């Protein structure tokens, strides 16, 4: 009887492991409300910018970002040459894409490839002090504040350096600045971009 229990236990452990693994990956995935041909015009009414552009270079502030081998030739915060405009007013033909408050939906752009980029204007960068911790209980510390939030065009950083705010504010002065994510930006060669651009 013990001989039959061991394979059953092994199967149950394997099934449990697979379910937990799939659940974990699903909880880490980015969830998007899908943009399609029917709601594209409605989406354009809600956003500030939509254009086809080519990423030119990464914008790096932190030294730790400089040379990740996996990130060569790609970037999340980038300068993009605007090739054609669908919506928005631009200071020049180069815009700054600064992805803030996007969580697991960060979009990595390949440099010198064409993208349909849809996004929201960043109008200001602010730094606020970290709130004083409010004890939840004797055993549990309070949760940390979110490091960055984006509301009504304002990027709010919690307890960051003034140098970082100054750097981002200088970029804002020089370039039209927007935030986007992988739910709003697509390779121009992708099926979704081709369908949207054909409308």
């Amino acid at each position: 009887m013990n001989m039959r229990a061991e394979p059953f236990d092994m199967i149950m452990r394997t099934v449990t492991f697979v379910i937990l693994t799939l659940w974990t990956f699903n909880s880490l995935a980015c969830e998007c409300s899908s943009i399609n041909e029917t709601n594209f015009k409605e989406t354009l009414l809600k956003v500030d910018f939509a254009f086809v552009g080519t990423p030119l270079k990464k914008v790096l502030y932190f030294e730790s970002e400089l040379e990740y081998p996996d990130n060569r030739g790609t970037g999340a915060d980038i300068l993009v040459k605007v090739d054609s405009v669908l919506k928005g007013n631009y200071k020049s033909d180069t815009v700054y894409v600064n992805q803030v408050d996007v969580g697991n939906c960060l979009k990595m752009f390949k440099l010198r490839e064409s993208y349909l980029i849809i996004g929201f204007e960043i109008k200001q960068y602010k730094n606020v002090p970290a709130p004083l911790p409010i004890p939840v209980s004797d055993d549990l510390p309070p949760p940390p504040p979110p490091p960055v939030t984006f509301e009504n065009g304002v990027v709010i950083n919690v307890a960051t350096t003034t140098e970082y705010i100054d750097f981002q504010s200088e970029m804002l002065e020089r370039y039209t600045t927007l935030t986007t994510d992988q739910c709003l930006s697509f390779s121009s060669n992708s099926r979704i971009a081709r369908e949207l651009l054909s409308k």
Side-chain angles (χ1 to χ4, degrees):
M1 199 160 210
N2 274 346
M3 302 272 267
R4 291 185 165 228
E6 286 180 21
F8 179 76
D9 288 343
M10 185 59 98
I11 290 170
M12 290 307 293
R13 287 182 192 162
T14 303
V15 168
T16 302
F17 174 76
V18 168
I19 289 171
L20 287 174
T21 301
L22 291 174
W23 178 74
T24 301
F25 283 129
N26 190 33
S27 67
L28 295 175
C30 173
E31 291 189 25
C32 301
S33 59
S34 51
I35 296 177
N36 55 46
E37 304 115 19
T38 57
N39 68 6
F40 184 54
K41 288 184 180 177
E42 183 181 314
T43 300
L44 286 181
L45 293 174
K46 296 177 184 175
V47 299
D48 299 309
F49 300 104
F51 63 95
V52 175
T54 306
L56 301 173
K57 83 181 240 191
K58 294 188 244 187
V59 175
L60 304 172
Y61 173 76
F62 296 106
E63 289 293 322
S64 60
E65 296 177 305
L66 290 178
E67 283 303 324
Y68 288 126
D70 293 345
N71 286 350
R72 291 190 184 135
T74 65
D77 296 337
I78 53 174
L79 290 178
V80 181
K81 180 182 179 298
V82 176
D83 299 320
S84 64
V85 173
L86 299 166
K87 181 180 181 181
N89 295 316
Y90 303 81
K91 293 178 184 177
S92 71
D93 68 347
T94 303
V95 301
Y96 175 36
V97 173
N98 179 219
Q99 295 183 67
V100 293
D101 197 22
V102 297
N104 293 330
C105 295
L106 184 79
K107 174 75 174 176
M108 291 301 289
F109 293 93
K110 292 183 181 177
L111 302 182
R112 290 173 279 294
E113 290 196 8
S114 180
Y115 288 88
L116 168 60
I117 299 174
I118 301 167
F120 298 93
E121 182 175 15
I122 296 175
K123 300 173 187 170
Q124 182 184 7
Y125 290 88
K126 286 174 66 175
N127 188 19
V128 297
L132 295 174
I134 300 170
V136 176
S137 75
D138 292 337
D139 298 331
L140 297 172
V148 179
T149 55
F150 179 69
E151 297 174 11
N152 301 319
V154 179
V155 177
I156 302 167
N157 292 271
V158 176
T160 193
T161 64
T162 55
E163 291 84 6
Y164 179 74
I165 297 297
D166 291 345
F167 173 82
Q168 295 296 3
S169 296
E170 285 176 27
M171 294 297 288
L172 188 62
E173 292 271 327
R174 292 178 61 193
Y175 302 103
T176 297
T177 303
L178 65 120
T179 187
T180 189
D181 58 33
Q182 69 181 354
C183 302
L184 293 171
S185 294
F186 313 95
S187 168
S188 292
N189 295 324
S190 67
R191 181 186 56 78
I192 184 72
R194 288 193 313 269
E195 289 173 1
L196 296 176
L197 291 171
S198 69
K199 295 294 169 197

